[in-house]
Amino acid sequence: MIGILYAVSLSLLQRLKRKYRTLSIRTMTNLYWYHMLFGLIYYTYAIFRNSDSHAYFHDAATAESWWKLFSHGTHFIEWLAVPFVQYLHFSYEMMMVLFAWTGYVGFVYFYLFFKENLRSTIKFRGYDAVNLLMFLPNMHFWTSSLGKGSLIFCGIGLLVFGLSLPAKRKVYIALGGLLTYFVRPHIFFAIMIGMGMSFMLGREKMPMYQKVLIAIGGIGISAFIYDELLVFLRLDEDNVLESFMNNTAFIGGQLQHAGSAVDMQSYSLPVKLFTFWFRPLFFDAPNFLGIFVSLENLLYLAFFVKLFQKGFFRFIKQASAMIKMSAVVFLSISFSMTFIMSNLGIIIRQKSMIMYFMFFVIVAFLDWKKTEAIKRRMKRIKRMKKKEHLKVQKRNYFPDHLTN
């Protein structure tokens, strides 16, 4: 199964390479085996710990009606699994590999999204920053199993890649949008709102009517699914804010009973956001896995502090729609999650959906700074050449005076 999917992946990569020269087949093939290694690690983890993957497989194997499962969230995962489990007789291990592969596809399209929206290669401690971000262990661990994590990561990767060139990538937008919507509607809602806002505020060189159409499309889709989103999140349409606060307080209280609970309800908003983005950080790691994750969170923090360098606000003001969309999606989802999450174990898993939005903003900022530095250097060289040229002209015009 792993070998068959490798052959499929290689064919996909070769086809993409013909269109997108920035794709490195060597990097992506290495990433494939790396991701499958984490699939094995997660499989071993699931043997000794309770994992939702067992429930998904069991429910798919025992489902009496396939189409009755067609819905959002958990039932959508089971609905997708039924044909493979009941008709093609896939085992639990085969389903784990198949869904791990969908997570890998998400990495491929996130990689392309990063590469085609950057003008230069950004280095971090001497390493290609984009390549480094593609090999983050925690991102692979939670996207390498039968479950929502791998599928929504694939959906978001396809969706943002499509949104980079919406006129030419309608299939990617449709497929990525459907996957994201049916796995986690609120994430799709946030991306559509972010897209609508960013294309209106972005600096893309496109006619205003196209910007307006894209913005209307994104916000219109969000409005269309608004009622279903309220049902999915169990919110009262007559008092959304109050029901949201009540639900988040209840869920937060329930999650605090776990061993790795944190008292998010008593934290200020900045501390809540810091906890969601960067904890655990060694001092509060609940177990060995928490210590391992702390190392990665430290790397997140090292990237994040780059945003405090001079020029960030000027950069974000003139940034492209993709950068502004990424910032809006990351901040809006982070804000809402901080009111719900009160357990470090769940935080570690949930934030894997959105961290690449933050990384993209950071790397794009570093790319902008590098480009601006090159422009300044070129202006200095041009001024020096102009000054030298004037000196030569002056010498030629007053040769006798210069000689004496």
Side-chain angles (χ1 to χ4, degrees):
M1 183 76 177
I2 294 175
I4 293 172
L5 290 176
Y6 174 71
V8 172
S9 301
L10 196 58
S11 176
L12 172 66
L13 294 173
Q14 290 170 345
R15 184 171 61 83
L16 289 172
K17 179 67 175 179
R18 289 192 288 270
K19 292 184 178 180
Y20 312 107
R21 297 298 180 90
T22 55
L23 178 73
S24 169
I25 291 181
R26 181 180 179 183
T27 300
M28 289 296 99
T29 52
N30 289 339
L31 192 73
Y32 175 85
W33 295 112
Y34 183 78
H35 190 70
M36 287 301 165
L37 172 63
F38 274 90
L40 177 62
I41 293 171
Y42 190 96
Y43 174 73
T44 306
Y45 168 85
I47 291 174
F48 300 101
R49 299 285 297 270
N50 288 331
S51 171
D52 292 340
S53 58
H54 294 293
Y56 288 129
F57 182 80
H58 175 267
D59 291 346
T62 57
E64 296 180 358
S65 175
W66 182 30
W67 280 102
K68 283 185 179 180
L69 289 174
F70 186 73
S71 184
H72 309 99
T74 298
H75 291 311
F76 182 67
I77 305 299
E78 296 166 353
W79 179 79
L80 283 179
V82 165
F84 295 98
V85 176
Q86 293 195 9
Y87 306 141
L88 299 177
H89 304 291
F90 274 34
S91 64
Y92 170 74
E93 289 75 14
M94 293 174 74
M95 290 302 297
M96 290 286 279
V97 171
L98 179 63
F99 271 71
W101 181 75
T102 64
Y104 166 74
V105 171
F107 279 100
V108 171
Y109 284 100
F110 263 115
Y111 177 85
L112 284 172
F113 170 68
F114 272 70
K115 285 293 187 179
E116 72 176 7
N117 284 286
L118 299 175
R119 293 175 242 183
S120 59
T121 300
I122 303 301
K123 298 289 185 179
F124 183 83
R125 302 290 191 269
Y127 297 96
D128 184 321
V130 175
N131 286 355
L132 184 64
L133 292 172
M134 290 299 116
F135 284 87
L136 293 173
N138 190 54
M139 302 297 290
H140 286 270
F141 184 77
W142 298 111
T143 58
S144 61
S145 68
L146 171 58
K148 297 177 185 176
S150 55
L151 206 61
I152 193 169
F153 190 76
C154 178
I156 295 173
L158 290 168
L159 182 56
V160 295
F161 176 72
L163 289 174
S164 291
L165 287 173
K168 297 181 179 180
R169 297 174 182 169
K170 297 182 181 67
V171 173
Y172 289 106
I173 294 173
L175 180 57
L178 286 172
L179 287 175
T180 306
Y181 171 67
F182 279 105
V183 178
R184 295 193 188 278
H186 55 291
I187 303 297
F188 178 73
F189 182 83
I191 293 174
M192 289 297 100
I193 290 291
M195 183 193 76
M197 291 175 59
S198 62
F199 270 95
M200 285 299 296
L201 300 174
R203 293 297 184 93
E204 274 69 19
K205 293 180 180 179
M206 64 170 63
M208 179 54 69
Y209 80 90
Q210 289 186 10
K211 288 188 175 185
V212 172
L213 286 176
I214 293 173
I216 291 174
I219 297 173
I221 291 171
S222 301
F224 180 74
I225 68 170
Y226 179 73
D227 290 339
E228 290 191 47
L229 183 66
L230 293 182
V231 174
F232 178 77
L233 297 177
R234 299 174 184 175
L235 300 179
D236 180 6
E237 65 178 340
D238 296 323
N239 201 334
V240 175
L241 182 60
E242 183 179 347
S243 59
F244 172 76
M245 298 304 295
N246 290 337
N247 281 0
T248 53
F250 174 76
I251 295 170
Q254 292 293 104
L255 293 175
Q256 282 185 339
H257 295 299
S260 56
V262 288
D263 189 14
M264 292 283 270
Q265 303 300 319
S266 66
Y267 291 167
S268 64
L269 181 59
V271 177
K272 284 180 178 181
L273 290 172
F274 183 89
T275 300
F276 181 70
W277 294 337
F278 307 120
R279 287 177 66 184
L281 264 180
F282 300 109
F283 63 89
D284 57 359
N287 47 40
F288 176 75
L289 179 61
I291 295 173
F292 192 73
V293 172
S294 295
L295 289 169
E296 189 168 320
N297 283 338
L298 190 62
L299 181 64
Y300 292 179
L301 196 54
F303 267 97
F304 185 77
V305 296
K306 300 287 185 182
L307 295 179
F308 294 94
Q309 295 179 0
K310 184 179 178 181
F312 177 72
F313 290 106
R314 186 159 65 94
F315 155 75
I316 205 69
K317 184 179 178 181
Q318 62 188 53
S320 68
M322 287 296 97
I323 296 169
K324 288 179 178 176
M325 181 197 75
S326 297
V328 169
V329 171
F330 177 71
L331 290 174
S332 61
I333 295 175
S334 296
F335 179 81
S336 61
M337 287 289 187
T338 58
F339 287 91
I340 300 173
M341 301 289 103
S342 298
N343 179 284
L344 290 178
I346 296 176
I347 286 172
I348 291 168
R349 181 167 71 248
Q350 292 292 326
K351 72 181 181 183
S352 64
M353 295 183 296
I354 62 168
M355 291 308 290
Y356 276 129
F357 288 109
M358 180 188 80
F359 294 141
F360 176 64
V361 173
I362 295 169
V363 176
F365 174 51
L366 297 177
D367 179 56
W368 176 82
K369 282 179 67 72
K370 185 176 179 179
T371 303
E372 290 294 301
I374 292 172
K375 288 179 180 178
R376 288 193 298 270
R377 187 158 58 246
M378 293 301 293
K379 285 181 180 179
R380 283 197 302 268
I381 293 172
K382 190 174 181 180
R383 283 197 302 268
M384 290 174 63
K385 285 183 176 181
K386 187 176 180 180
K387 193 174 180 180
E388 187 65 30
H389 181 67
L390 289 173
K391 284 182 179 180
V392 171
Q393 284 185 325
K394 197 173 182 180
R395 281 198 300 267
N396 292 336
Y397 191 74
F398 302 106
D400 295 335
H401 173 74
L402 290 173
T403 302
N404 295 329

